[in-house]
Amino acid sequence: MAAAKKQMTVNDFIDLKRQGQRITMLTAYDFTIAKILDQAGVDGILVGDSLGMVVQGRETTLKVSLDEIIYHAEMVGRAAEHSLIVVDLPFPTHLVGDHEAIAAAARILKETECQTVKLEGGVQQAGTIAALVSAGIPVMGHIGLQPQSVLTMGGYKVQRDEEQLLADAKAVEDAGAFSVVLECMEAAIAAKITAALSIPTIGIGAGAHCDGQVLVINDLLGLTDSPPRFVKEYAQLRSTISDAVSQYCQDVQSKTFPDSSNSY
Ligand code: KIV
């Protein structure tokens, strides 16, 4: 029997960077997928507010509530024995004050088995990150394209302001975050940020030089219509599911399912 893999911690993330080993992360929103990812050995599972788009079918992540994130995080947290679980603080829980941010993050830690939170924002959110960390809550930062700010950013665009991105990354590290997501920015800028920080960078659409990578699981599995350019589809589950469902309908209509082997 294979030895059980140990539970990842925030210190393991930092050690992986020091050892020059890449960190693997994927999103999950339910028990079944989280169990598969955990057993496959991914280092981190993100209960992302991307669930607003890929689970709820909304245009943006803005409408996801804290109760909804906790509902999904509870299922994912129960599935994971190895992966570090990171849970998004949904809009606007961390924007309305440090007290509210700590109260929201504490609900996540108390009501689920998850260990850390992620929040979007750089220089402007550094104070809140520091407040969370002093309350004993591990924080993953998130800079570059910030989907919760899509209305002010004017769309889902590649970020190119090197000076601002470096300042945001530094502010997140100085505030005490254990890691930071770099979303949708020029690969050369992400490489400079990664070299400048001692905490690991986790890239999505940020090139090959980040310390780790994260993808939305629906994108990786080929479930998303027209995924962004930075996605690599490792399976084509849309067509697999569609073919299976068509075959099932045909079998039921032609009375070939169920047969004696599916009956009591
Ligand atoms: O919500 C999410 O899935 C994310 C990733 C895109 C990093 O924040």
Side-chain angles (χ1 to χ4, degrees), residues 67-81:
D67 284 342
E68 287 167 347
I69 279 279
I70 288 175
Y71 174 78
H72 289 275
E74 198 278 325
M75 296 183 249
V76 171
R78 252 181 314 111
E81 290 173 14

Side-chain angles (χ1 to χ4, degrees), residues 25 27 46-50 61 86-89 94-95 117-126 129 139-150 153 156-157 159 164-165 168-173 175 177-185 193 197 199-206 214 216 230:
M25 278 195 82
T27 67
L46 171 64
V47 186
D49 61 0
S50 50
T61 60
V86 183
V87 183
D88 259 337
L89 283 179
H94 54 289
L95 304 169
V117 300
K118 173 166 84 58
L119 63 87
E120 295 180 12
V123 172
Q124 289 177 341
Q125 288 306 306
I129 295 174
V139 177
M140 177 177 278
H142 181 154
I143 65 159
L145 175 61
Q146 294 159 43
Q148 291 180 9
S149 301
V150 65
M153 284 182 146
Y156 298 98
K157 295 181 182 154
Q159 305 299 299
Q164 182 64 54
L165 290 166
D168 282 338
K170 240 1 216 158
V172 167
E173 170 166 81
F178 71 91
S179 177
V180 60
V181 167
L182 308 183
E183 178 162 356
C184 231
M185 65 180 67
I193 293 173
L197 298 189
I199 58 170
T201 59
I202 310 292
I204 175 163
V214 59
V216 168
F230 60 74

Side-chain angles (χ1 to χ4, degrees), residues 49-70:
D49 61 0
S50 50
L51 73 86
M53 298 166 86
V54 302
V55 178
Q56 299 175 332
R58 299 184 189 280
E59 288 294 315
T60 71
T61 60
L62 292 171
K63 291 203 163 45
V64 176
S65 69
L66 181 60
D67 284 342
E68 287 167 347
I69 279 279
I70 288 175

